[in-house]
Amino acid sequence: MESCTELLPRSHYGTFYDGDAYLVYSCSHPGQPAGPDVIRREIRENGNGEYAERHVHAWAGGAAGGAGGALTTLALRRASQLLAHVARPLVLHRETATRESARMLSYFRDGIRILRSGAMNGGPRLYRVRGHRPVVLQMEPVSWAQLASDGVFVLDTANLIVLWLGRAANLIEKTFGAKIAYRMARGPEKGMLVRRIAIAHDGYEQTLPPADRELLNTLLELRSRSMRPPSPVSDTPRPARLYKVTQPPRTSPIAMPSQKPAARLEEIKCAPLNREDLREDSVYIIDGGSRGVWAWVGSSAPVGEARGALAAARGLARAKRLTGPVATMVSGREPLEFAALFHMWSWADARRDIRVRAARSATTKLDAVSLASNAWLAAEAQVPDDGSGSLRMWRVRGEAEGGALQELERPQTAAFYDQDCYLALYTYHTPTGDQTILYYWMGGSSPNDLRNLGAKEAKDLCIKLGRLPIQAWVYQGKEPAHFLQIFKGRMITYIGSAIEYDPSGRRVVPPSRALIRVSGQYAREARGVEVGRGGLTRGACYVLREGARVWVWCAASATGDEREVAKNMAASDHTLVMQGKEKHDFWNALGDRRPLLVASPLKEVERPLPPRLFYISLGAAGQYSFEEIISFSQYELAPEMSAILDAHAAVFVWLGAHSGPRAKDDARAIAQCYLANDPAARDPETPILVISQGREPPNFTGFFPHWKTSMWKGHKSFNAIVSVLEGKAIVRGSNSALHNGNSENRFDQHEKYPLSVLRGPKEHMPQDVDPLTKELYLTHDDFVSTFTMAYNEFRSLPLWKQKELKKSVGLF
């Protein structure tokens, strides 16, 4: 049968049928939103650095009967024809149904729908709601086998809409599911429901009204209820890998099938990757794991290798059984998702370059009041104020010193020791009130037990302060700009511990003799580090202190700004020494440390990547998954969620007001898991900042266009949405925690199993079941049917009575 391609009307955007193939084309400024509802100015590609970012997504459904491969081939063939028609560089994506890339989902603000081709009309239909940019997937057949305890499902019948909420489903998906159920039930008249909505909670189906329970029983047969457990985190952390595409007869470890001639991949390295690893005369494949497989074509690559780039990437994805997106691009048109797989990628964006240069060179108007109205400047400079607020500091005492914290008498001394850990509580005034930041600084040579002790003290202090401070975990040498700004460009880290110079621990006294390497061109970049004999380090400027005398040595390559930073760090009368003009008194004071004085070459100005936003999904204990939101705005943040804002030099964890206690308690662990899972092999000592809704500083809000502090004032909670759907002023039920979307009670936090499994032999018992408390692994309905009472009533009984009841039903 001959295929054809037709342009769909706007009313069909976002609806896909699994028996068809689709092309999605987008064009926008680099890093700017794209989609049918985005209004943008004309893009003039005139060679002045401004260009259009173009993407073509070839989407193929996974239809039954093995037609998925043919649909993919057809979609890619049509995409190649579109590429030739456009005649401009673009990024070509191969998309897989239910595994769509974050970029494709970003075009459809209300999500997408994947429907069954040829589905029977008139009968009941089952849909699953998944993701923050929701994907609504039609499931067939309607049965318990389709439902999972970590999912949200909508059952569409002629007279009733059933919203089924899995026990382990996240609150965001529950909220989207409620909104989608409302749209299905709504008639032509806005706000008028033509069908009723029933809300069924996982394991509580028997608590539905009799008529709704009978209908659900007709479709699903409640007695045969069988539930799939939550899906485990599928992707294990692994670094990205770089392969070079070669042609026979060269040997290589991985051969790609169905290529004429067969392309071969030669593994070059694993992350961290650098831009310099990509040569313009070659074609490379980057395996980004969960972030997709990418083919990169150099500007002077051989024509044959360039044409087979996407096929080689698809072959690698098949060989490694990767089901995520696959894409190909040419040099100079790399999207952000690709560039983020590389270390220190220099981002080419003429408009962003202006903002970055302005932030780097800004020396005035960095006070809190000015930055509140220029949040973009605070975000690019990563400072919420000018560092003129009040400061209190504590040194963490080890167990040998009795533990706990020792407050420092002179916190502005700006002296640190690499074997110590410190807490710094900084308070500054903003137009809306005082803001507090609690920094926890860990020295590079501090032992793990001291770090763990300091983390506990930091948590206790934060709780004591009502959880109001922004929490920041900072590592030596990775201090964020604002932390350095607090110390006015004079922060120095010395070798050893402070108690070596002041046994009382109340003061941090600098040593009288030290050679300090100075880095940075501005106060908020300035840091000094004492140079030891353990290794070779390079620096543009050094400060040499010998008793009362101080020298500032500057290499010939040092800039004027670097020299000024070094002179400011000397902080006293000093002698300026230029490379090649040193005198005998300087060399005599330096002594045998002369080999440590090594000049560094001039560093290029960094062009950092734009920030990225990720939605956090909480799995089993210690397991988290992250869904990227491309082209984000403040509207992507909701009080029910928690999110990661990756600013590359630092990672922010944003906690919504209703995000739940687990997200708040695990905030640092979530950020550490994100860094460990990043295929770019991120530095685990990247600074982590935890921010709560309503107390966002401008160096966070400045990454979001048009931030509004009043946006969430009219926000409807999940509880309120459920009240509207059920037509009640107040939602009442057997489990109020389920109605407000968070299952925090002990009973609902356990995995659920059929009664027959829990009564079975010990050797067949699931590993996570505690044999002493088997009753916790029943659903609510099974518990009531077995014990003739709810769990809360059972828990109030004496322990001996509980034991007797469990024996009588075979659960002891």
Side-chain angles (χ1 to χ4, degrees), residues 165-189:
L165 304 174
R167 175 185 50 80
N170 65 68
L171 195 49
I172 286 292
E173 290 181 353
K174 289 181 180 180
T175 302
F176 276 123
K179 292 179 179 179
I180 290 168
Y182 177 76
R183 291 174 192 164
M184 290 182 177
R186 190 174 58 190
E189 304 255 344

PDB file of all heavy atoms in Angstrom, residues 165-189:
ATOM      1  N   LEU A 165      -6.246   5.591  41.487  1.00  0.00           N
ATOM      2  CA  LEU A 165      -4.989   6.163  41.960  1.00  0.00           C
ATOM      3  C   LEU A 165      -4.155   5.086  42.636  1.00  0.00           C
ATOM      4  O   LEU A 165      -4.544   4.548  43.672  1.00  0.00           O
ATOM      5  CB  LEU A 165      -5.261   7.304  42.943  1.00  0.00           C
ATOM      6  CG  LEU A 165      -6.155   8.432  42.409  1.00  0.00           C
ATOM      7  CD1 LEU A 165      -6.464   9.430  43.514  1.00  0.00           C
ATOM      8  CD2 LEU A 165      -5.490   9.127  41.230  1.00  0.00           C
ATOM      9  N   GLY A 166      -3.019   4.761  42.041  1.00  0.00           N
ATOM     10  CA  GLY A 166      -2.127   3.763  42.611  1.00  0.00           C
ATOM     11  C   GLY A 166      -1.560   4.214  43.945  1.00  0.00           C
ATOM     12  O   GLY A 166      -1.330   5.404  44.179  1.00  0.00           O
ATOM     13  N   ARG A 167      -1.310   3.252  44.806  1.00  0.00           N
ATOM     14  CA  ARG A 167      -0.823   3.550  46.152  1.00  0.00           C
ATOM     15  C   ARG A 167       0.510   4.289  46.114  1.00  0.00           C
ATOM     16  O   ARG A 167       0.765   5.168  46.929  1.00  0.00           O
ATOM     17  CB  ARG A 167      -0.682   2.236  46.928  1.00  0.00           C
ATOM     18  CG  ARG A 167      -0.073   2.348  48.309  1.00  0.00           C
ATOM     19  CD  ARG A 167       0.126   0.976  48.905  1.00  0.00           C
ATOM     20  NE  ARG A 167       0.822   0.089  47.982  1.00  0.00           N
ATOM     21  CZ  ARG A 167       2.147   0.116  47.810  1.00  0.00           C
ATOM     22  NH1 ARG A 167       2.886   0.964  48.482  1.00  0.00           N
ATOM     23  NH2 ARG A 167       2.721  -0.714  46.960  1.00  0.00           N
ATOM     24  N   ALA A 168       1.394   3.919  45.179  1.00  0.00           N
ATOM     25  CA  ALA A 168       2.721   4.513  45.108  1.00  0.00           C
ATOM     26  C   ALA A 168       2.828   5.572  44.017  1.00  0.00           C
ATOM     27  O   ALA A 168       3.937   6.012  43.701  1.00  0.00           O
ATOM     28  CB  ALA A 168       3.768   3.423  44.869  1.00  0.00           C
ATOM     29  N   ALA A 169       1.702   5.990  43.438  1.00  0.00           N
ATOM     30  CA  ALA A 169       1.735   7.013  42.389  1.00  0.00           C
ATOM     31  C   ALA A 169       2.137   8.354  42.982  1.00  0.00           C
ATOM     32  O   ALA A 169       1.826   8.664  44.136  1.00  0.00           O
ATOM     33  CB  ALA A 169       0.369   7.119  41.715  1.00  0.00           C
ATOM     34  N   ASN A 170       2.824   9.166  42.180  1.00  0.00           N
ATOM     35  CA  ASN A 170       3.241  10.465  42.700  1.00  0.00           C
ATOM     36  C   ASN A 170       2.115  11.478  42.569  1.00  0.00           C
ATOM     37  O   ASN A 170       1.177  11.326  41.774  1.00  0.00           O
ATOM     38  CB  ASN A 170       4.519  10.953  42.008  1.00  0.00           C
ATOM     39  CG  ASN A 170       4.320  11.237  40.541  1.00  0.00           C
ATOM     40  OD1 ASN A 170       3.627  12.172  40.165  1.00  0.00           O
ATOM     41  ND2 ASN A 170       4.931  10.427  39.684  1.00  0.00           N
ATOM     42  N   LEU A 171       2.228  12.525  43.357  1.00  0.00           N
ATOM     43  CA  LEU A 171       1.141  13.487  43.502  1.00  0.00           C
ATOM     44  C   LEU A 171       0.898  14.288  42.227  1.00  0.00           C
ATOM     45  O   LEU A 171      -0.231  14.652  41.911  1.00  0.00           O
ATOM     46  CB  LEU A 171       1.449  14.427  44.671  1.00  0.00           C
ATOM     47  CG  LEU A 171       0.307  15.277  45.209  1.00  0.00           C
ATOM     48  CD1 LEU A 171      -0.927  14.443  45.463  1.00  0.00           C
ATOM     49  CD2 LEU A 171       0.752  15.974  46.486  1.00  0.00           C
ATOM     50  N   ILE A 172       1.957  14.561  41.467  1.00  0.00           N
ATOM     51  CA  ILE A 172       1.792  15.318  40.225  1.00  0.00           C
ATOM     52  C   ILE A 172       0.953  14.528  39.228  1.00  0.00           C
ATOM     53  O   ILE A 172       0.032  15.070  38.598  1.00  0.00           O
ATOM     54  CB  ILE A 172       3.172  15.666  39.631  1.00  0.00           C
ATOM     55  CG1 ILE A 172       3.830  16.778  40.448  1.00  0.00           C
ATOM     56  CG2 ILE A 172       3.044  16.106  38.187  1.00  0.00           C
ATOM     57  CD1 ILE A 172       3.146  18.118  40.341  1.00  0.00           C
ATOM     58  N   GLU A 173       1.237  13.236  39.064  1.00  0.00           N
ATOM     59  CA  GLU A 173       0.460  12.424  38.136  1.00  0.00           C
ATOM     60  C   GLU A 173      -0.978  12.274  38.617  1.00  0.00           C
ATOM     61  O   GLU A 173      -1.912  12.231  37.807  1.00  0.00           O
ATOM     62  CB  GLU A 173       1.121  11.058  37.954  1.00  0.00           C
ATOM     63  CG  GLU A 173       2.442  11.136  37.179  1.00  0.00           C
ATOM     64  CD  GLU A 173       3.077   9.777  36.968  1.00  0.00           C
ATOM     65  OE1 GLU A 173       2.565   8.787  37.530  1.00  0.00           O
ATOM     66  OE2 GLU A 173       4.097   9.692  36.250  1.00  0.00           O
ATOM     67  N   LYS A 174      -1.193  12.210  39.926  1.00  0.00           N
ATOM     68  CA  LYS A 174      -2.559  12.161  40.453  1.00  0.00           C
ATOM     69  C   LYS A 174      -3.312  13.437  40.088  1.00  0.00           C
ATOM     70  O   LYS A 174      -4.486  13.391  39.693  1.00  0.00           O
ATOM     71  CB  LYS A 174      -2.529  11.989  41.970  1.00  0.00           C
ATOM     72  CG  LYS A 174      -2.076  10.619  42.451  1.00  0.00           C
ATOM     73  CD  LYS A 174      -2.113  10.541  43.971  1.00  0.00           C
ATOM     74  CE  LYS A 174      -1.677   9.178  44.477  1.00  0.00           C
ATOM     75  NZ  LYS A 174      -1.715   9.083  45.956  1.00  0.00           N
ATOM     76  N   THR A 175      -2.624  14.574  40.210  1.00  0.00           N
ATOM     77  CA  THR A 175      -3.281  15.846  39.886  1.00  0.00           C
ATOM     78  C   THR A 175      -3.619  15.925  38.409  1.00  0.00           C
ATOM     79  O   THR A 175      -4.728  16.336  38.028  1.00  0.00           O
ATOM     80  CB  THR A 175      -2.360  17.009  40.285  1.00  0.00           C
ATOM     81  OG1 THR A 175      -2.049  16.919  41.684  1.00  0.00           O
ATOM     82  CG2 THR A 175      -3.018  18.344  40.007  1.00  0.00           C
ATOM     83  N   PHE A 176      -2.676  15.530  37.539  1.00  0.00           N
ATOM     84  CA  PHE A 176      -2.964  15.527  36.109  1.00  0.00           C
ATOM     85  C   PHE A 176      -4.080  14.546  35.789  1.00  0.00           C
ATOM     86  O   PHE A 176      -4.941  14.830  34.939  1.00  0.00           O
ATOM     87  CB  PHE A 176      -1.702  15.162  35.322  1.00  0.00           C
ATOM     88  CG  PHE A 176      -0.793  16.337  35.060  1.00  0.00           C
ATOM     89  CD1 PHE A 176       0.519  16.315  35.482  1.00  0.00           C
ATOM     90  CD2 PHE A 176      -1.250  17.459  34.387  1.00  0.00           C
ATOM     91  CE1 PHE A 176       1.362  17.384  35.254  1.00  0.00           C
ATOM     92  CE2 PHE A 176      -0.421  18.534  34.151  1.00  0.00           C
ATOM     93  CZ  PHE A 176       0.897  18.504  34.588  1.00  0.00           C
ATOM     94  N   GLY A 177      -4.069  13.384  36.434  1.00  0.00           N
ATOM     95  CA  GLY A 177      -5.130  12.419  36.193  1.00  0.00           C
ATOM     96  C   GLY A 177      -6.494  12.971  36.549  1.00  0.00           C
ATOM     97  O   GLY A 177      -7.477  12.759  35.823  1.00  0.00           O
ATOM     98  N   ALA A 178      -6.575  13.719  37.665  1.00  0.00           N
ATOM     99  CA  ALA A 178      -7.843  14.325  38.070  1.00  0.00           C
ATOM    100  C   ALA A 178      -8.301  15.359  37.033  1.00  0.00           C
ATOM    101  O   ALA A 178      -9.495  15.429  36.692  1.00  0.00           O
ATOM    102  CB  ALA A 178      -7.694  14.964  39.443  1.00  0.00           C
ATOM    103  N   LYS A 179      -7.363  16.145  36.513  1.00  0.00           N
ATOM    104  CA  LYS A 179      -7.735  17.154  35.507  1.00  0.00           C
ATOM    105  C   LYS A 179      -8.190  16.492  34.211  1.00  0.00           C
ATOM    106  O   LYS A 179      -9.132  16.961  33.562  1.00  0.00           O
ATOM    107  CB  LYS A 179      -6.541  18.071  35.255  1.00  0.00           C
ATOM    108  CG  LYS A 179      -6.190  18.955  36.452  1.00  0.00           C
ATOM    109  CD  LYS A 179      -4.978  19.835  36.155  1.00  0.00           C
ATOM    110  CE  LYS A 179      -4.646  20.726  37.351  1.00  0.00           C
ATOM    111  NZ  LYS A 179      -3.451  21.581  37.100  1.00  0.00           N
ATOM    112  N   ILE A 180      -7.523  15.418  33.815  1.00  0.00           N
ATOM    113  CA  ILE A 180      -7.909  14.728  32.577  1.00  0.00           C
ATOM    114  C   ILE A 180      -9.274  14.065  32.742  1.00  0.00           C
ATOM    115  O   ILE A 180     -10.111  14.089  31.826  1.00  0.00           O
ATOM    116  CB  ILE A 180      -6.817  13.712  32.199  1.00  0.00           C
ATOM    117  CG1 ILE A 180      -5.565  14.468  31.740  1.00  0.00           C
ATOM    118  CG2 ILE A 180      -7.304  12.760  31.114  1.00  0.00           C
ATOM    119  CD1 ILE A 180      -4.335  13.613  31.620  1.00  0.00           C
ATOM    120  N   ALA A 181      -9.527  13.478  33.906  1.00  0.00           N
ATOM    121  CA  ALA A 181     -10.850  12.894  34.158  1.00  0.00           C
ATOM    122  C   ALA A 181     -11.931  13.961  34.083  1.00  0.00           C
ATOM    123  O   ALA A 181     -13.026  13.722  33.550  1.00  0.00           O
ATOM    124  CB  ALA A 181     -10.863  12.210  35.521  1.00  0.00           C
ATOM    125  N   TYR A 182     -11.627  15.147  34.598  1.00  0.00           N
ATOM    126  CA  TYR A 182     -12.601  16.239  34.550  1.00  0.00           C
ATOM    127  C   TYR A 182     -12.897  16.644  33.104  1.00  0.00           C
ATOM    128  O   TYR A 182     -14.056  16.887  32.735  1.00  0.00           O
ATOM    129  CB  TYR A 182     -12.061  17.422  35.339  1.00  0.00           C
ATOM    130  CG  TYR A 182     -12.944  18.652  35.308  1.00  0.00           C
ATOM    131  CD1 TYR A 182     -14.103  18.716  36.065  1.00  0.00           C
ATOM    132  CD2 TYR A 182     -12.627  19.736  34.500  1.00  0.00           C
ATOM    133  CE1 TYR A 182     -14.920  19.827  36.036  1.00  0.00           C
ATOM    134  CE2 TYR A 182     -13.425  20.851  34.450  1.00  0.00           C
ATOM    135  CZ  TYR A 182     -14.574  20.894  35.222  1.00  0.00           C
ATOM    136  OH  TYR A 182     -15.381  22.001  35.176  1.00  0.00           O
ATOM    137  N   ARG A 183     -11.849  16.707  32.281  1.00  0.00           N
ATOM    138  CA  ARG A 183     -12.069  17.075  30.869  1.00  0.00           C
ATOM    139  C   ARG A 183     -12.921  16.035  30.160  1.00  0.00           C
ATOM    140  O   ARG A 183     -13.771  16.368  29.330  1.00  0.00           O
ATOM    141  CB  ARG A 183     -10.723  17.206  30.152  1.00  0.00           C
ATOM    142  CG  ARG A 183      -9.894  18.392  30.608  1.00  0.00           C
ATOM    143  CD  ARG A 183      -8.529  18.348  29.950  1.00  0.00           C
ATOM    144  NE  ARG A 183      -7.609  19.300  30.563  1.00  0.00           N
ATOM    145  CZ  ARG A 183      -6.297  19.267  30.415  1.00  0.00           C
ATOM    146  NH1 ARG A 183      -5.744  18.319  29.672  1.00  0.00           N
ATOM    147  NH2 ARG A 183      -5.528  20.163  31.000  1.00  0.00           N
ATOM    148  N   MET A 184     -12.690  14.755  30.474  1.00  0.00           N
ATOM    149  CA  MET A 184     -13.484  13.702  29.837  1.00  0.00           C
ATOM    150  C   MET A 184     -14.946  13.775  30.260  1.00  0.00           C
ATOM    151  O   MET A 184     -15.849  13.512  29.456  1.00  0.00           O
ATOM    152  CB  MET A 184     -12.917  12.325  30.205  1.00  0.00           C
ATOM    153  CG  MET A 184     -11.584  12.001  29.583  1.00  0.00           C
ATOM    154  SD  MET A 184     -11.038  10.331  30.043  1.00  0.00           S
ATOM    155  CE  MET A 184      -9.515  10.189  29.107  1.00  0.00           C
ATOM    156  N   ALA A 185     -15.177  14.125  31.522  1.00  0.00           N
ATOM    157  CA  ALA A 185     -16.549  14.154  32.034  1.00  0.00           C
ATOM    158  C   ALA A 185     -17.291  15.437  31.678  1.00  0.00           C
ATOM    159  O   ALA A 185     -18.515  15.491  31.792  1.00  0.00           O
ATOM    160  CB  ALA A 185     -16.538  13.983  33.554  1.00  0.00           C
ATOM    161  N   ARG A 186     -16.541  16.454  31.243  1.00  0.00           N
ATOM    162  CA  ARG A 186     -17.154  17.759  30.988  1.00  0.00           C
ATOM    163  C   ARG A 186     -17.900  17.756  29.663  1.00  0.00           C
ATOM    164  O   ARG A 186     -17.434  17.215  28.666  1.00  0.00           O
ATOM    165  CB  ARG A 186     -16.076  18.829  30.971  1.00  0.00           C
ATOM    166  CG  ARG A 186     -16.606  20.247  30.946  1.00  0.00           C
ATOM    167  CD  ARG A 186     -15.443  21.217  31.076  1.00  0.00           C
ATOM    168  NE  ARG A 186     -14.464  21.023  30.000  1.00  0.00           N
ATOM    169  CZ  ARG A 186     -13.268  21.600  29.970  1.00  0.00           C
ATOM    170  NH1 ARG A 186     -12.895  22.376  30.968  1.00  0.00           N
ATOM    171  NH2 ARG A 186     -12.453  21.386  28.973  1.00  0.00           N
ATOM    172  N   GLY A 187     -19.030  18.379  29.650  1.00  0.00           N
ATOM    173  CA  GLY A 187     -19.824  18.486  28.433  1.00  0.00           C
ATOM    174  C   GLY A 187     -19.433  19.689  27.607  1.00  0.00           C
ATOM    175  O   GLY A 187     -18.461  20.393  27.897  1.00  0.00           O
ATOM    176  N   PRO A 188     -20.181  19.977  26.551  1.00  0.00           N
ATOM    177  CA  PRO A 188     -19.882  21.138  25.697  1.00  0.00           C
ATOM    178  C   PRO A 188     -19.909  22.447  26.469  1.00  0.00           C
ATOM    179  O   PRO A 188     -19.161  23.363  26.180  1.00  0.00           O
ATOM    180  CB  PRO A 188     -20.975  21.092  24.619  1.00  0.00           C
ATOM    181  CG  PRO A 188     -21.526  19.703  24.672  1.00  0.00           C
ATOM    182  CD  PRO A 188     -21.339  19.231  26.068  1.00  0.00           C
ATOM    183  N   GLU A 189     -20.767  22.531  27.473  1.00  0.00           N
ATOM    184  CA  GLU A 189     -20.839  23.744  28.283  1.00  0.00           C
ATOM    185  C   GLU A 189     -19.729  23.725  29.316  1.00  0.00           C
ATOM    186  O   GLU A 189     -19.600  22.773  30.076  1.00  0.00           O
ATOM    187  CB  GLU A 189     -22.206  23.807  29.002  1.00  0.00           C
ATOM    188  CG  GLU A 189     -23.362  23.728  28.056  1.00  0.00           C
ATOM    189  CD  GLU A 189     -24.006  25.075  27.869  1.00  0.00           C
ATOM    190  OE1 GLU A 189     -23.750  25.952  28.682  1.00  0.00           O
ATOM    191  OE2 GLU A 189     -24.744  25.235  26.904  1.00  0.00           O
TER     192      GLU A 189
END
